[in-house]
Amino acid sequence: MITSFEDIVKTRPPWSTILVWYLRAMALLLIGGGVIHWARIVGMVPWRGLWFWDMPVEWQAATVFFAVLDLVAATGLWLAVSWGTVMWLFRAISQIVMHSVFSDVYGRRPYEIAFYLLTIGIYLLIVYLMERENRKT
């Protein structure tokens, strides 16, 4: 029976299992994002008040890019394979660059940038804790 925080820490699953849960949670977010991008492409929902065919070419390119990348990365993250993590990190860094370096074209989105940096930081922390746990055994 869990009666204190120490009991929770002692009975937690291995960090490798927590990492898989985390990657699958990220996969679910990416699936949602991919579906929204595809809904924009096929004309179900507008983005910033514009339909896909009325968007500037650079927005159309970004929408298609992330529509494909989100679903590919989500598949890899769900399967917990290394290429999925690489695709997710590439996607997150692409969004950070897009909304910081090219903010004049795509707009500045500081909360989105902070979200990506936070998720990458959490991923790196879990990987570090997993590696440290594996070295002890």
Side-chain angles (χ1 to χ4, degrees):
M1 184 166 153
I2 298 175
T3 59
S4 68
F5 182 72
E6 285 181 27
D7 291 340
I8 293 172
V9 171
K10 289 177 184 174
T11 60
R12 70 160 173 76
W15 285 111
S16 57
T17 302
I18 293 171
L19 180 62
V20 171
W21 291 349
Y22 181 73
L23 293 177
R24 287 190 174 170
M26 291 296 107
L28 291 174
L29 290 175
L30 288 176
I31 289 170
V35 168
I36 289 170
H37 285 298
W38 279 106
R40 289 180 186 139
I41 291 169
V42 299
M44 293 177 68
V45 295
W47 186 58
R48 295 184 182 179
L50 293 174
W51 295 100
F52 181 77
W53 48 88
D54 295 328
M55 291 179 186
V57 173
E58 56 273 9
W59 285 12
Q60 289 178 342
T63 301
V64 171
F65 176 76
F66 289 112
V68 173
L69 189 58
D70 282 1
L71 297 179
V72 170
T75 302
L77 288 177
W78 190 267
L79 297 173
V81 292
S82 59
W83 60 264
T85 305
V86 171
M87 297 302 287
W88 168 63
L89 292 172
F90 176 70
R91 186 231 185 272
I93 292 169
S94 296
Q95 283 278 41
I96 291 168
V97 169
M98 191 171 98
H99 293 299
S100 58
V101 177
F102 300 108
S103 62
D104 55 327
V105 176
Y106 298 106
R108 188 168 298 281
R109 304 196 56 186
Y111 296 114
E112 193 168 329
I113 292 170
F115 172 77
Y116 291 120
L117 291 174
L118 178 66
T119 57
I120 292 169
I122 291 170
Y123 167 75
L124 293 173
L125 176 65
I126 295 171
V127 168
Y128 168 76
L129 292 170
M130 181 185 75
E131 291 297 323
R132 193 175 79 174
E133 184 176 71
N134 289 342
R135 279 190 304 245
K136 288 182 181 180
T137 57

